[in-house]
Amino acid sequence: MKTSFTVNGSPFSIDLDPRVTLLDALRDHLNLTGSKKGCDHGQCGACTVLVDGRRINACLSLAVMHDGDEITTVEGLSEDGRSPLQSAFVRHDGMQCGYCTPGQLCSATAVFREIAEGWPSHVSETLDGPYALTREELAERMSGNICRCSCYPGINAAILETAEEDAGYAEAAE
Amino acid sequence: MTFDLKIDEPHPEHRADGLAQGVLEQDNDRPDGWLKVAGTATYAAEEQADDMLHGFLVRAPKIGAVSCPNVDDVRAMEGVRSVLRDPRMIRNAAQGTANEAPAQGVDRAAYVGQPVALVVAESFEQARHAAQALVVSVEEEDKPVQPDAVEPEKPEDKSTELGDLDRAMSEAAFTVDAVYTTPSMVSAAMEPHAATAHWDGETLTLRGSLQMLKFNRNELADSVGLDPKHVRVLAPYVGGGFGSKLGISADCVAAALAAMELKQPVRVVQHRRNVFEVNTRRSETRQHIRLAADTEGRLTGLGHEALVSNLPEEEFSEPVIQGSHFAYAASNRTLGMKVARIHRSAAGSVRAPGESVGVTAFEVAMDELAQAAGVDPVNLRLRNIPEKDPESGKPFSSHRLEAALRQGADAFGWSHRHAAPRQQREGEWWIGTGMAAAFRVNMVIEAEARISLTRDGATVMSDMTDIGTGSYAIFGQIAAELLGLPLDRIDAQLGDTRFPPGSGSGGSFGAASTGTAVWLAGMEIRKQIADRLGCSEAELTLKDGKATYANKRASLRDLLSDEPITGHGHVEPGEAAEKVRQATFGAHFAEVAVSDVTGEVCVRRMLGSFAAGRILNPRTATSQCHGGMTWGIGMALTEELTHDRRDGHAVNRDLAGYHLPVNADVPPLEVHFVEELDDWAGPMQAKGIGELGICGAGASILNAVYNACGARVRDMPATPDRVLAALPS
C-alpha cells in the first residue's frame, strides 16, 4: 500500500505491506534505526515517536495509518544530536546501555508539551491545569518508558534541568 | 611485545595517583552517550542490507517429541525461503564462558518454549506470519517441572561443614531458623536478543547482542561446525545484558545456519515473549537459614542451605551460598546446595548470580536476629565482621564493610530510627526504615587489549563489550591518564573479535580485567616513549600531549614518527586468588511506606554505601549502583516469573506480566563510595561495582517493611497479598 508521510521534516512516499508497523517502516524501510524495538507489544516504550507532536508507541501502530502525518523520531529532535535535552541526558548519565534512550527522549519532549497544554496525569490533584513539572508528575508521565539499566535518577534530573534552564523548551517542542 | 601480568602479588605502589593527566577517577561523560542520545549507536538488528532475509523462531508449546506436519505448506507460503529444522540449532543460550555449543536439537523439546524451527522469509511480516502458521505437534512426555518433584542432586564440592551447628543452635541465647524463597527472575534487558548473520562461503560474520565475544565466537563456531578462525562476531553496542547474553543465543545460531544455507544475510530477532524463555532465567531458590547467637548477638553458628533448579545437561547452578562463606564470623557452619533437575527453561547467570538472592535472604534473617536479640541491625553486622575468611582462614585483601556501614548509617540518618515496628503512621501508611549489608565476590579473568598511539591520538582496541557498564568511558580514561592525552584524543573501539580478546562483560570483572589490560598496554607505550627520551618509565611525565623528563620536554607529536607506537596488555588471574579472600562490601538503607489497607509498599528513598576499590569514573559507577538498587526494588516487591505447575511454562512471559520497576516505582537514590584502594586487585587497585548494588538491596526494603508495619515477608516478592497476610492481627 502506498503511504506518504513526513519524517523529521522530509517527505517520504513508500509502498508497504499493510502489516508493517510504523516502527518497522522507520527502522527497516527508511533506515531510521534510532527508534528501538524492545517488545513489539506497547509494553516498554523504547519505540516512542512523536506523531503530529504527540507521543505514541510506534510498534502498536501500522505505517499505513499515518498517511499525511508528521512524524518525529530521535534523529529529528535536533540537527546535531546535542539539543539541551540530549546534552542533559549525557551530562546526568541518563542512559547506560542506551537502548531505551531514544524513547525516553521522545517521551520527555512530549511531556514538556503535555504540561504546557495542561494535560492532567494520574497523579495530578485536579483535572484542570495548569500543572508544574514536579518530580512526581514527571515520574508518573515517564513511567511508560522502561529502563532496565534503571537510569531513572539521571533521566529525571536531565528532564527537570532542561525544563528549568530552558523555559522556552516546551514552546520550542511544539 | 606484550606487557603480561599475572596477579600473584599486591600492587602497593599506587601508580595511578602519580600520573599527571588527572582524568582517572574523574566524573566524565560516557563518550558513547552522544551516539545513544542521537540514535546513531547501532545495535545487533540495525545493520541494513538490500538482500536481508528475516527469520522468526518457532517455539515448542509442550515438552516432548516434536514434529511439524505442515512444514511443506509453510515452505510454499508467500515470501518464505526456508523452514529450518536443523539439529545444530541450540536448545537454550549457552552458559557464561561455556566456550562450546550448549545442548542442541529440535526434535525433542526439553522445556516449553524451546525453539524448534526458524522460518526465514523475504520480509519480517512474511516470516512472522508463516511462523504462526507452522503447526508444532508434540508427543507429550511427562517430565518433572517442580523443584520438589525430584530427589535433588547434592554436589559435595558445594558444601561446607565446620563445627556442630545443631549444638550451637541448641546452646544459643538467640536463634533464627526460617525458610526463605525467591522466584524465578529474568534479566529482561531492553534490547531483545538479536543477530544479523553474513556468510561469504568461507567466513561467518555475526552481529549479535552478546556480552563475551571471545567465548561467543567459539560457541557459535562449535554450534554450526566451523573453525573459529572463520567466525567473526561483532557487538559494539549492546542494549543491556545482565547475564542473559553471556553465552551464544538461539537467534545467533539459527541466523548463522540460515545465512549459510541461503547464502544471503539473515536477521533473527527474538520476540520479547521468546526472550523470557529461550535465554537463561535466575533459578527460583528455597533457602533454609539458621543463625545461632550469644547474648550480644555474636554469631556462634550459621547455616545456609539452598535448593535451586536447572535443566539436565546444564552445569550452572545458582551459587546462592557464595556470599555466606565469608560474610560473617561463626565457628559452627553448615552450608550446602541442592540442585533439582527439572524441565523449566534453563537457569543461568542473572546480575550477581548467588549473592543477589543469597545475600538478600540472609540479610532478612540477620534482621530477624537483630530483632530477637534486641540489637540494632547496624551494630549486629558490625559485631560479626570476621577478621579473616571464616572458613579458609585466609586474610581479606581489603575489608571496608565497617566503613560502609558507618558512613551509610550517618548519611541516611539511621540514628533517628524507631527500633520497634509500627511506630510511625501517616494516614493509612505505616512508615519504616531498614538496612542490609552487601557482599559480592570479586574476580579477575584473563583479558587482552591493544593501544595504538599516533600523532593524532590513541586508539584502544579490545573485543570487550560495553553493555551499558561504561567500558568505553573508563578505557578512554585509563588510556588518557597513562598517555597524558586529553580524553577527546582517545578513541575506544570495542566489540569485535578482530581485536585482542578482552574479558567480556560479566561478573563485575570488566573494569578490573580488561581495564587492567588497557593499563598494561598504556604502560608498554610509556616505556617506549621513555626509551626515546632516555629515561625510565617511572621518571616520565606525560601530560596534555607533552613528554617531560628532568629538564627535557618534547611534544608527543615530535617524538612519534609516522609509525604508530603500539602497546599490548595481557592480564591473568594468579596466586592472589589463592592467597587472599577478595570481595566488595556495602550497606543498603531504605525507607518505605506500607498501606495498612491494601498492603502496597512504596519505597520512599534508598541509600547505598559501597566499597569497590578505586572508582574509575564515579558517574558511570553511580549509575551501575542505581541499577543494582533498583533491581533490589524489583526483587523485593514485584519481580516473579511464574511457572505453570503442570508443564513448567513461563506464564507471565512479557513486560506486562513480569513487573520491572518503572520510573514512578523508584524513589530518589543516593550512592556513596567508601574510600578504598585494594592492592590485591591489580595495578589500579580497582574492583568490580556492577553487581554489588543488587546484593542485599531487596533485604533493606523487606526489613523496612517489617519495621514499618510488623509484616515479616519471607517469600519474595512482597506483593500486597503477602504483606496483608503477614500483618500482625
Side-chain angles (χ1 to χ4, degrees), chain A residues 100 146-152, chain B residues 185-190 242 350-351 627 630-631 634 639 658-661:
Chain A
C100 75
I146 297 176
C147 174
R148 183 54 156 168
C149 298
S150 312
C151 302
Y152 304 123
Chain B
M185 289 175 252
V186 292
S187 293
M190 295 312 298
F242 314 110
V350 178
R351 199 175 201 161
T630 303
W631 280 53
E639 288 187 43
Y658 184 90
H659 292 162
L660 308 178

PDB file of all heavy atoms in Angstrom, chain A residues 100 146-152, chain B residues 185-190 242 350-351 627 630-631 634 639 658-661:
ATOM      1  N   CYS A 100      16.872   2.215  25.547  1.00  0.00           N
ATOM      2  CA  CYS A 100      15.588   2.885  25.800  1.00  0.00           C
ATOM      3  C   CYS A 100      15.683   4.378  25.566  1.00  0.00           C
ATOM      4  O   CYS A 100      14.679   5.081  25.590  1.00  0.00           O
ATOM      5  CB  CYS A 100      15.113   2.615  27.229  1.00  0.00           C
ATOM      6  SG  CYS A 100      16.010   3.562  28.492  1.00  0.00           S
ATOM      7  N   ILE A 146      10.277   2.098  30.016  1.00  0.00           N
ATOM      8  CA  ILE A 146      11.051   1.292  30.972  1.00  0.00           C
ATOM      9  C   ILE A 146      12.547   1.409  30.674  1.00  0.00           C
ATOM     10  O   ILE A 146      12.965   1.397  29.517  1.00  0.00           O
ATOM     11  CB  ILE A 146      10.624  -0.190  30.897  1.00  0.00           C
ATOM     12  CG1 ILE A 146       9.152  -0.330  31.317  1.00  0.00           C
ATOM     13  CG2 ILE A 146      11.507  -1.055  31.795  1.00  0.00           C
ATOM     14  CD1 ILE A 146       8.629  -1.734  31.173  1.00  0.00           C
ATOM     15  N   CYS A 147      13.329   1.520  31.717  1.00  0.00           N
ATOM     16  CA  CYS A 147      14.792   1.482  31.601  1.00  0.00           C
ATOM     17  C   CYS A 147      15.278   0.377  32.524  1.00  0.00           C
ATOM     18  O   CYS A 147      15.273   0.543  33.736  1.00  0.00           O
ATOM     19  CB  CYS A 147      15.401   2.820  32.015  1.00  0.00           C
ATOM     20  SG  CYS A 147      17.202   2.791  32.075  1.00  0.00           S
ATOM     21  N   ARG A 148      15.673  -0.757  31.975  1.00  0.00           N
ATOM     22  CA  ARG A 148      16.095  -1.866  32.833  1.00  0.00           C
ATOM     23  C   ARG A 148      17.442  -1.578  33.486  1.00  0.00           C
ATOM     24  O   ARG A 148      17.742  -2.080  34.557  1.00  0.00           O
ATOM     25  CB  ARG A 148      16.153  -3.165  32.024  1.00  0.00           C
ATOM     26  CG  ARG A 148      16.514  -4.408  32.829  1.00  0.00           C
ATOM     27  CD  ARG A 148      15.602  -4.615  34.039  1.00  0.00           C
ATOM     28  NE  ARG A 148      15.579  -6.022  34.442  1.00  0.00           N
ATOM     29  CZ  ARG A 148      15.050  -6.448  35.592  1.00  0.00           C
ATOM     30  NH1 ARG A 148      14.517  -5.574  36.440  1.00  0.00           N
ATOM     31  NH2 ARG A 148      15.040  -7.725  35.890  1.00  0.00           N
ATOM     32  N   CYS A 149      18.284  -0.772  32.819  1.00  0.00           N
ATOM     33  CA  CYS A 149      19.528  -0.354  33.483  1.00  0.00           C
ATOM     34  C   CYS A 149      19.187   0.516  34.691  1.00  0.00           C
ATOM     35  O   CYS A 149      20.025   0.723  35.553  1.00  0.00           O
ATOM     36  CB  CYS A 149      20.419   0.440  32.535  1.00  0.00           C
ATOM     37  SG  CYS A 149      20.983  -0.466  31.087  1.00  0.00           S
ATOM     38  N   SER A 150      17.986   1.038  34.706  1.00  0.00           N
ATOM     39  CA  SER A 150      17.464   1.817  35.830  1.00  0.00           C
ATOM     40  C   SER A 150      18.186   3.149  35.988  1.00  0.00           C
ATOM     41  O   SER A 150      18.740   3.465  37.031  1.00  0.00           O
ATOM     42  CB  SER A 150      17.542   1.016  37.134  1.00  0.00           C
ATOM     43  OG  SER A 150      17.024  -0.279  36.951  1.00  0.00           O
ATOM     44  N   CYS A 151      18.155   3.921  34.907  1.00  0.00           N
ATOM     45  CA  CYS A 151      18.782   5.242  34.924  1.00  0.00           C
ATOM     46  C   CYS A 151      17.778   6.317  35.286  1.00  0.00           C
ATOM     47  O   CYS A 151      17.984   7.486  34.935  1.00  0.00           O
ATOM     48  CB  CYS A 151      19.378   5.548  33.550  1.00  0.00           C
ATOM     49  SG  CYS A 151      20.571   4.319  33.063  1.00  0.00           S
ATOM     50  N   TYR A 152      16.701   5.935  35.950  1.00  0.00           N
ATOM     51  CA  TYR A 152      15.661   6.925  36.254  1.00  0.00           C
ATOM     52  C   TYR A 152      16.196   8.162  36.978  1.00  0.00           C
ATOM     53  O   TYR A 152      15.757   9.278  36.674  1.00  0.00           O
ATOM     54  CB  TYR A 152      14.524   6.269  37.053  1.00  0.00           C
ATOM     55  CG  TYR A 152      13.900   5.068  36.365  1.00  0.00           C
ATOM     56  CD1 TYR A 152      13.856   3.824  36.977  1.00  0.00           C
ATOM     57  CD2 TYR A 152      13.357   5.176  35.085  1.00  0.00           C
ATOM     58  CE1 TYR A 152      13.290   2.720  36.360  1.00  0.00           C
ATOM     59  CE2 TYR A 152      12.796   4.079  34.458  1.00  0.00           C
ATOM     60  CZ  TYR A 152      12.764   2.845  35.094  1.00  0.00           C
ATOM     61  OH  TYR A 152      12.209   1.763  34.471  1.00  0.00           O
TER      62      TYR A 152
ATOM     63  N   MET B 185      13.524 -15.342  38.157  1.00  0.00           N
ATOM     64  CA  MET B 185      13.554 -13.957  37.684  1.00  0.00           C
ATOM     65  C   MET B 185      14.293 -13.919  36.349  1.00  0.00           C
ATOM     66  O   MET B 185      14.996 -14.866  36.006  1.00  0.00           O
ATOM     67  CB  MET B 185      14.266 -13.064  38.714  1.00  0.00           C
ATOM     68  CG  MET B 185      13.457 -12.836  39.980  1.00  0.00           C
ATOM     69  SD  MET B 185      14.369 -11.903  41.225  1.00  0.00           S
ATOM     70  CE  MET B 185      14.699 -13.163  42.424  1.00  0.00           C
ATOM     71  N   VAL B 186      14.118 -12.835  35.633  1.00  0.00           N
ATOM     72  CA  VAL B 186      14.798 -12.723  34.337  1.00  0.00           C
ATOM     73  C   VAL B 186      15.539 -11.398  34.212  1.00  0.00           C
ATOM     74  O   VAL B 186      15.227 -10.431  34.899  1.00  0.00           O
ATOM     75  CB  VAL B 186      13.813 -12.865  33.156  1.00  0.00           C
ATOM     76  CG1 VAL B 186      13.276 -14.273  33.070  1.00  0.00           C
ATOM     77  CG2 VAL B 186      12.692 -11.848  33.254  1.00  0.00           C
ATOM     78  N   SER B 187      16.509 -11.397  33.306  1.00  0.00           N
ATOM     79  CA  SER B 187      17.304 -10.199  33.058  1.00  0.00           C
ATOM     80  C   SER B 187      16.469  -9.100  32.407  1.00  0.00           C
ATOM     81  O   SER B 187      16.569  -7.939  32.778  1.00  0.00           O
ATOM     82  CB  SER B 187      18.492 -10.522  32.153  1.00  0.00           C
ATOM     83  OG  SER B 187      19.390 -11.367  32.818  1.00  0.00           O
ATOM     84  N   ALA B 188      15.682  -9.488  31.406  1.00  0.00           N
ATOM     85  CA  ALA B 188      14.814  -8.529  30.705  1.00  0.00           C
ATOM     86  C   ALA B 188      15.562  -7.284  30.244  1.00  0.00           C
ATOM     87  O   ALA B 188      15.099  -6.158  30.433  1.00  0.00           O
ATOM     88  CB  ALA B 188      13.612  -8.138  31.580  1.00  0.00           C
ATOM     89  N   ALA B 189      16.717  -7.489  29.621  1.00  0.00           N
ATOM     90  CA  ALA B 189      17.431  -6.354  29.010  1.00  0.00           C
ATOM     91  C   ALA B 189      16.520  -5.716  27.967  1.00  0.00           C
ATOM     92  O   ALA B 189      15.698  -6.390  27.357  1.00  0.00           O
ATOM     93  CB  ALA B 189      18.714  -6.846  28.359  1.00  0.00           C
ATOM     94  N   MET B 190      16.675  -4.423  27.769  1.00  0.00           N
ATOM     95  CA  MET B 190      15.746  -3.720  26.869  1.00  0.00           C
ATOM     96  C   MET B 190      15.898  -4.161  25.411  1.00  0.00           C
ATOM     97  O   MET B 190      14.931  -4.181  24.668  1.00  0.00           O
ATOM     98  CB  MET B 190      15.956  -2.206  26.964  1.00  0.00           C
ATOM     99  CG  MET B 190      15.614  -1.599  28.314  1.00  0.00           C
ATOM    100  SD  MET B 190      14.022  -2.113  29.002  1.00  0.00           S
ATOM    101  CE  MET B 190      12.913  -1.489  27.774  1.00  0.00           C
ATOM    102  N   PHE B 242      22.972  -8.159  31.544  1.00  0.00           N
ATOM    103  CA  PHE B 242      22.687  -8.622  32.906  1.00  0.00           C
ATOM    104  C   PHE B 242      22.842 -10.133  33.047  1.00  0.00           C
ATOM    105  O   PHE B 242      22.192 -10.755  33.884  1.00  0.00           O
ATOM    106  CB  PHE B 242      21.280  -8.180  33.336  1.00  0.00           C
ATOM    107  CG  PHE B 242      20.964  -6.748  33.018  1.00  0.00           C
ATOM    108  CD1 PHE B 242      20.053  -6.411  32.034  1.00  0.00           C
ATOM    109  CD2 PHE B 242      21.619  -5.725  33.693  1.00  0.00           C
ATOM    110  CE1 PHE B 242      19.788  -5.083  31.731  1.00  0.00           C
ATOM    111  CE2 PHE B 242      21.357  -4.395  33.397  1.00  0.00           C
ATOM    112  CZ  PHE B 242      20.436  -4.075  32.411  1.00  0.00           C
ATOM    113  N   VAL B 350      22.159 -14.326  36.198  1.00  0.00           N
ATOM    114  CA  VAL B 350      21.453 -13.054  36.102  1.00  0.00           C
ATOM    115  C   VAL B 350      22.123 -12.157  37.141  1.00  0.00           C
ATOM    116  O   VAL B 350      22.428 -12.624  38.245  1.00  0.00           O
ATOM    117  CB  VAL B 350      19.951 -13.213  36.415  1.00  0.00           C
ATOM    118  CG1 VAL B 350      19.239 -11.861  36.370  1.00  0.00           C
ATOM    119  CG2 VAL B 350      19.292 -14.176  35.427  1.00  0.00           C
ATOM    120  N   ARG B 351      22.374 -10.928  36.796  1.00  0.00           N
ATOM    121  CA  ARG B 351      23.089  -9.958  37.635  1.00  0.00           C
ATOM    122  C   ARG B 351      23.391 -10.460  39.057  1.00  0.00           C
ATOM    123  O   ARG B 351      22.503 -10.644  39.859  1.00  0.00           O
ATOM    124  CB  ARG B 351      22.283  -8.667  37.728  1.00  0.00           C
ATOM    125  CG  ARG B 351      23.119  -7.487  38.180  1.00  0.00           C
ATOM    126  CD  ARG B 351      22.322  -6.199  38.141  1.00  0.00           C
ATOM    127  NE  ARG B 351      23.245  -5.066  38.082  1.00  0.00           N
ATOM    128  CZ  ARG B 351      22.907  -3.852  37.680  1.00  0.00           C
ATOM    129  NH1 ARG B 351      21.697  -3.615  37.290  1.00  0.00           N
ATOM    130  NH2 ARG B 351      23.789  -2.871  37.652  1.00  0.00           N
ATOM    131  N   GLY B 627      21.353   1.067  39.216  1.00  0.00           N
ATOM    132  CA  GLY B 627      20.761  -0.112  38.581  1.00  0.00           C
ATOM    133  C   GLY B 627      20.587  -1.245  39.572  1.00  0.00           C
ATOM    134  O   GLY B 627      19.512  -1.833  39.684  1.00  0.00           O
ATOM    135  N   THR B 630      17.860  -0.527  42.119  1.00  0.00           N
ATOM    136  CA  THR B 630      16.519  -0.603  41.538  1.00  0.00           C
ATOM    137  C   THR B 630      16.119  -2.058  41.294  1.00  0.00           C
ATOM    138  O   THR B 630      14.957  -2.436  41.480  1.00  0.00           O
ATOM    139  CB  THR B 630      16.474   0.214  40.231  1.00  0.00           C
ATOM    140  OG1 THR B 630      16.874   1.549  40.530  1.00  0.00           O
ATOM    141  CG2 THR B 630      15.085   0.212  39.627  1.00  0.00           C
ATOM    142  N   TRP B 631      17.080  -2.877  40.905  1.00  0.00           N
ATOM    143  CA  TRP B 631      16.786  -4.315  40.769  1.00  0.00           C
ATOM    144  C   TRP B 631      16.383  -4.891  42.136  1.00  0.00           C
ATOM    145  O   TRP B 631      15.593  -5.823  42.224  1.00  0.00           O
ATOM    146  CB  TRP B 631      18.001  -5.059  40.219  1.00  0.00           C
ATOM    147  CG  TRP B 631      18.178  -4.940  38.748  1.00  0.00           C
ATOM    148  CD1 TRP B 631      18.234  -3.791  38.012  1.00  0.00           C
ATOM    149  CD2 TRP B 631      18.346  -6.013  37.816  1.00  0.00           C
ATOM    150  NE1 TRP B 631      18.428  -4.096  36.690  1.00  0.00           N
ATOM    151  CE2 TRP B 631      18.501  -5.440  36.543  1.00  0.00           C
ATOM    152  CE3 TRP B 631      18.391  -7.403  37.941  1.00  0.00           C
ATOM    153  CZ2 TRP B 631      18.688  -6.209  35.395  1.00  0.00           C
ATOM    154  CZ3 TRP B 631      18.582  -8.173  36.797  1.00  0.00           C
ATOM    155  CH2 TRP B 631      18.729  -7.580  35.537  1.00  0.00           C
ATOM    156  N   GLY B 634      12.779  -4.289  42.526  1.00  0.00           N
ATOM    157  CA  GLY B 634      12.031  -5.295  41.767  1.00  0.00           C
ATOM    158  C   GLY B 634      12.014  -6.639  42.480  1.00  0.00           C
ATOM    159  O   GLY B 634      10.974  -7.290  42.603  1.00  0.00           O
ATOM    160  N   GLU B 639       9.068  -8.524  41.062  1.00  0.00           N
ATOM    161  CA  GLU B 639       9.530  -9.423  40.008  1.00  0.00           C
ATOM    162  C   GLU B 639       9.333 -10.894  40.358  1.00  0.00           C
ATOM    163  O   GLU B 639       9.851 -11.373  41.369  1.00  0.00           O
ATOM    164  CB  GLU B 639      11.015  -9.170  39.706  1.00  0.00           C
ATOM    165  CG  GLU B 639      11.225  -7.851  38.981  1.00  0.00           C
ATOM    166  CD  GLU B 639      12.660  -7.662  38.535  1.00  0.00           C
ATOM    167  OE1 GLU B 639      13.258  -8.629  38.032  1.00  0.00           O
ATOM    168  OE2 GLU B 639      13.173  -6.546  38.701  1.00  0.00           O
ATOM    169  N   TYR B 658       5.397  -9.455  33.734  1.00  0.00           N
ATOM    170  CA  TYR B 658       6.583  -9.508  34.594  1.00  0.00           C
ATOM    171  C   TYR B 658       6.927  -8.070  34.937  1.00  0.00           C
ATOM    172  O   TYR B 658       7.312  -7.287  34.064  1.00  0.00           O
ATOM    173  CB  TYR B 658       7.737 -10.186  33.859  1.00  0.00           C
ATOM    174  CG  TYR B 658       8.965 -10.373  34.715  1.00  0.00           C
ATOM    175  CD1 TYR B 658       9.138 -11.539  35.462  1.00  0.00           C
ATOM    176  CD2 TYR B 658       9.952  -9.398  34.786  1.00  0.00           C
ATOM    177  CE1 TYR B 658      10.255 -11.713  36.256  1.00  0.00           C
ATOM    178  CE2 TYR B 658      11.069  -9.566  35.584  1.00  0.00           C
ATOM    179  CZ  TYR B 658      11.221 -10.723  36.306  1.00  0.00           C
ATOM    180  OH  TYR B 658      12.335 -10.898  37.103  1.00  0.00           O
ATOM    181  N   HIS B 659       6.785  -7.719  36.191  1.00  0.00           N
ATOM    182  CA  HIS B 659       6.797  -6.295  36.533  1.00  0.00           C
ATOM    183  C   HIS B 659       8.171  -5.772  36.931  1.00  0.00           C
ATOM    184  O   HIS B 659       8.650  -6.025  38.036  1.00  0.00           O
ATOM    185  CB  HIS B 659       5.789  -6.039  37.653  1.00  0.00           C
ATOM    186  CG  HIS B 659       4.374  -6.224  37.200  1.00  0.00           C
ATOM    187  ND1 HIS B 659       3.331  -6.397  38.049  1.00  0.00           N
ATOM    188  CD2 HIS B 659       3.851  -6.274  35.950  1.00  0.00           C
ATOM    189  CE1 HIS B 659       2.209  -6.552  37.349  1.00  0.00           C
ATOM    190  NE2 HIS B 659       2.513  -6.477  36.088  1.00  0.00           N
ATOM    191  N   LEU B 660       8.790  -5.054  36.001  1.00  0.00           N
ATOM    192  CA  LEU B 660      10.041  -4.358  36.288  1.00  0.00           C
ATOM    193  C   LEU B 660       9.703  -3.040  36.974  1.00  0.00           C
ATOM    194  O   LEU B 660       8.656  -2.455  36.715  1.00  0.00           O
ATOM    195  CB  LEU B 660      10.773  -4.032  34.986  1.00  0.00           C
ATOM    196  CG  LEU B 660      10.999  -5.170  34.009  1.00  0.00           C
ATOM    197  CD1 LEU B 660      11.694  -4.625  32.762  1.00  0.00           C
ATOM    198  CD2 LEU B 660      11.855  -6.235  34.648  1.00  0.00           C
ATOM    199  N   PRO B 661      10.590  -2.540  37.816  1.00  0.00           N
ATOM    200  CA  PRO B 661      10.363  -1.209  38.365  1.00  0.00           C
ATOM    201  C   PRO B 661      10.344  -0.174  37.240  1.00  0.00           C
ATOM    202  O   PRO B 661      11.225  -0.171  36.376  1.00  0.00           O
ATOM    203  CB  PRO B 661      11.574  -0.984  39.281  1.00  0.00           C
ATOM    204  CG  PRO B 661      12.086  -2.351  39.586  1.00  0.00           C
ATOM    205  CD  PRO B 661      11.803  -3.168  38.355  1.00  0.00           C
TER     206      PRO B 661
END
